[in-house]
Amino acid sequence: MSQTVADPAGAPVSLEQRFQDWIDAERKIEPRDWMPDAYRRTLIRQISQHAHSEIIGMQPEGNWITRAPSLRRKVALIAKVQDEAGHGLYLYSAAETLGASRDDMVADLLTGKAKYSSIFNYATPTWADIGAIGWLVDGAAICNQVPLCRTSYGPYARAMVRVCKEESFHQRQGYEIMMVLAQGTPEQKQMAQDALNRWWFPSLLMFGPPDDQSPNSAQSMKWKIKRHSNDELRQRFVDMTVPQAEFLGLTIPDPDLKWNDERGHYDFGDLPWEEFYAVLKGHGPCNRQRMAFRNKTFSDGAWVREAAAAYAGKQKARQAAAVQAA
Amino acid sequence: MSKVNWPLWEVFVRGKAGLSHKHVGSVHAADAEMAIANARDLYTRRSEGVSLWVVPASAIVASDPADKDSLFEPADDKVYRHPTFYDIPDEVGHM
């Protein structure tokens, strides 16, 4: 493992050291550059999990497409769910530049070997949940994803630039839904409050375990895959979201939430970490439903994939025959 | 579980007339026609382009990153290839 190359002055330097120096100088890594195996593995795991999250993330919202309250809401929701599929595909495409196979990644999702974000294991029983997801879940995703636009791996960073541009529409359409409900009848406002009550803590859990319990974070920060710690991003999200809730006239369901003048940030109460680990282990409200639906969709589409492959094969054979005949 | 194994296609988009096609990512598709359809759905949902190229990823020949220095470093010390290398008095005006 101690392969060396010469530095500009002719002194031997390990490939790892040269890689780290390159990253420390804020330069990007591209697919065919030398990289440590662990860097490659970390990225494949992170990018494919991110892709799986986008794919599974279509389900909670897809649930409301047929029942959206107006045509305006319906076209927006269809476009948003289509974007989530698109984000998944940008990300699979980025992971493939590292040598991961698309078929393997899809198989890992379907068999449950791979993880996806736990937030998508929560149910969407009311229309206000669609507002809350756009506002809070996409808001949290934006906090996580904006720094990833500067991540050290070029294809991942470029995919994230596209994703972030589109997420902005997602968050605004969600907030608009919340706004209309919050300014509506008392029942509508209550529906919005109820959705906020259910989505607030799960959204904060999206940032992952506290820094002192996040074993891989330090290495990811050193490689500049991650740019900010989980707790830092979580705080940023809280600071950004509290005034937005105030504007809506809704109450964040945390009695310990209060502005801390000294820190210049909002303090907030303990997070339900037992819930986080339970959902991660498969015991969330919808884990089994999400996986069953994904597997059913994949099986239901098998005949389409087979027909397309047969058609492509036939066309190719015809072209080859025509070339021979000419 | 059945494998799909569709080939990978690299996608290039022309943003508007007057610009060259630029690499944006890749798609899987059974054939070229489907690759165009998939690239259209994936990479041009918001008026990002007016023209698409799809190229089988296997058809792309790339330089080896290990050759980066020998291929591209020789250009670094040829400052005389750049206009700022030449001293032209200010009185001459813009040149």
Side-chain angles (χ1 to χ4, degrees), chain A residues 42-61:
Chain A
T42 301
L43 275 171
I44 290 177
R45 194 185 58 238
Q46 178 170 337
I47 300 173
S48 61
Q49 280 182 7
H50 196 162
H52 300 328
S53 302
E54 302 281 358
I55 297 300
I56 297 291
M58 289 191 279
Q59 291 186 41
E61 293 178 290

Side-chain angles (χ1 to χ4, degrees), chain A residues 33-97:
Chain A
D33 292 339
W34 186 89
M35 61 187 84
D37 287 342
Y39 178 83
R40 185 184 301 274
R41 279 198 308 273
T42 301
L43 275 171
I44 290 177
R45 194 185 58 238
Q46 178 170 337
I47 300 173
S48 61
Q49 280 182 7
H50 196 162
H52 300 328
S53 302
E54 302 281 358
I55 297 300
I56 297 291
M58 289 191 279
Q59 291 186 41
E61 293 178 290
N63 179 32
W64 277 92
I65 288 176
T66 56
R67 294 174 290 155
S70 69
L71 186 58
R72 183 174 186 271
R73 294 293 185 216
K74 188 168 179 155
V75 291
L77 190 55
I78 292 174
K80 179 177 190 295
V81 172
Q82 191 187 14
D83 277 351
E84 308 299 358
H87 297 175
L89 297 178
Y90 302 153
L91 288 160
Y92 283 132
S93 161
E96 284 180 280
T97 64

Side-chain angles (χ1 to χ4, degrees), chain A residues 203-220:
Chain A
S203 299
L204 296 193
L205 300 180
M206 280 176 72
F207 294 93
D211 294 347
D212 53 9
Q213 289 160 48
S214 178
N216 303 321
S217 279
Q219 183 61 68
S220 282

Side-chain angles (χ1 to χ4, degrees), chain A residues 22 32-33 82-83 86-87 89-90 93 96 102-104 107 110-111 162 166 169 298 305 308-309 311-312, chain B residues 1-6 8 24-26 28 30-31 33-34 41-43 45-46 48 62-65 68:
Chain A
W22 183 264
R32 299 177 73 221
D33 292 339
Q82 191 187 14
D83 277 351
H87 297 175
L89 297 178
Y90 302 153
S93 161
E96 284 180 280
R102 176 78 62 104
D103 279 339
D104 290 349
L110 294 175
T111 58
R162 299 183 66 90
E166 299 177 359
F169 138 60
F298 189 76
R305 294 190 296 274
Y311 177 78
Chain B
M1 191 164 25
S2 68
K3 295 248 165 183
V4 180
N5 271 329
W6 284 346
L8 186 68
V24 291
S26 61
H28 283 270
D31 58 26
E33 199 184 338
M34 189 198 270
D41 287 349
L42 188 56
Y43 292 105
R45 289 197 302 283
R46 288 183 174 77
E48 290 94 336
S63 62
D64 186 339
K68 196 167 64 183

Side-chain angles (χ1 to χ4, degrees), chain A residues 23-37:
Chain A
I23 284 184
D24 290 344
E26 292 292 338
R27 282 179 291 205
K28 300 291 179 199
I29 305 301
E30 291 295 341
R32 299 177 73 221
D33 292 339
W34 186 89
M35 61 187 84
D37 287 342

Side-chain angles (χ1 to χ4, degrees), chain A:
Chain A
M1 249 341 267
S2 57
Q3 219 179 328
T4 60
V5 287
D7 76 0
V13 51
S14 71
L15 285 171
E16 277 86 356
Q17 188 54 51
R18 193 173 64 161
F19 176 83
Q20 189 61 51
D21 292 346
W22 183 264
I23 284 184
D24 290 344
E26 292 292 338
R27 282 179 291 205
K28 300 291 179 199
I29 305 301
E30 291 295 341
R32 299 177 73 221
D33 292 339
W34 186 89
M35 61 187 84
D37 287 342
Y39 178 83
R40 185 184 301 274
R41 279 198 308 273
T42 301
L43 275 171
I44 290 177
R45 194 185 58 238
Q46 178 170 337
I47 300 173
S48 61
Q49 280 182 7
H50 196 162
H52 300 328
S53 302
E54 302 281 358
I55 297 300
I56 297 291
M58 289 191 279
Q59 291 186 41
E61 293 178 290
N63 179 32
W64 277 92
I65 288 176
T66 56
R67 294 174 290 155
S70 69
L71 186 58
R72 183 174 186 271
R73 294 293 185 216
K74 188 168 179 155
V75 291
L77 190 55
I78 292 174
K80 179 177 190 295
V81 172
Q82 191 187 14
D83 277 351
E84 308 299 358
H87 297 175
L89 297 178
Y90 302 153
L91 288 160
Y92 283 132
S93 161
E96 284 180 280
T97 64
L98 291 156
S101 121
R102 176 78 62 104
D103 279 339
D104 290 349
M105 291 188 278
V106 169
D108 287 351
L109 173 62
L110 294 175
T111 58
K113 188 180 162 206
K115 296 258 180 278
Y116 56 86
S117 175
S118 284
I119 194 73
F120 302 115
N121 290 317
Y122 290 86
T124 47
T126 76
W127 171 249
D129 291 322
I130 301 308
I133 288 184
W135 173 35
L136 300 172
V137 175
D138 290 301
I142 290 171
C143 281
N144 263 329
Q145 290 172 345
V146 166
L148 286 174
C149 296
R150 295 184 300 118
T151 196
S152 59
Y153 187 59
Y156 191 22
R158 293 192 286 274
M160 292 320 299
V161 169
R162 299 183 66 90
V163 168
C164 285
K165 275 187 197 159
E166 299 177 359
E167 290 288 355
S168 166
F169 138 60
H170 298 177
Q171 197 189 14
R172 290 172 65 109
Q173 70 89 37
Y175 193 74
E176 196 193 80
I177 291 171
M178 293 303 274
M179 214 159 56
V180 168
L181 291 173
Q183 292 164 2
T185 64
E187 290 83 0
Q188 287 172 325
K189 186 170 182 184
Q190 183 49 44
M191 190 194 275
Q193 179 64 54
D194 169 64
L196 170 58
N197 292 349
R198 284 181 290 110
W199 288 94
W200 176 251
F201 285 112
S203 299
L204 296 193
L205 300 180
M206 280 176 72
F207 294 93
D211 294 347
D212 53 9
Q213 289 160 48
S214 178
N216 303 321
S217 279
Q219 183 61 68
S220 282
M221 301 266 282
K222 188 169 173 223
W223 280 330
K224 298 191 194 289
I225 294 174
K226 248 174 112 93
R227 294 264 172 182
H228 307 280
S229 78
N230 296 351
D231 287 331
E232 210 179 323
L233 291 168
R234 189 168 11 244
Q235 181 72 60
R236 190 178 292 180
F237 174 71
V238 171
D239 291 347
M240 192 179 85
T241 309
V242 172
Q244 295 168 355
E246 282 167 1
F247 181 85
L248 294 173
L250 300 179
T251 309
I252 287 177
D254 179 356
D256 297 323
L257 184 87
K258 60 172 185 300
W259 177 253
N260 182 328
D261 226 2
E262 207 171 303
R263 290 202 310 129
H265 292 291
Y266 283 93
D267 290 337
F268 51 95
D270 291 336
L271 300 182
W273 290 110
E274 329 73 60
E275 177 180 325
F276 175 80
Y277 290 108
V279 181
L280 199 64
K281 287 200 185 90
H283 308 305
C286 299
N287 296 56
R288 277 178 288 273
Q289 183 186 333
R290 301 287 183 244
M291 289 301 292
F293 188 83
R294 187 69 225 137
N295 273 282
K296 178 181 183 302
T297 307
F298 189 76
S299 315
D300 288 352
W303 71 272
V304 180
R305 294 190 296 274
E306 281 157 22
Y311 177 78
K314 203 183 268 182
Q315 293 296 111
K316 212 172 179 179
R318 277 196 194 142
Q319 273 169 13
V323 169
Q324 271 200 332

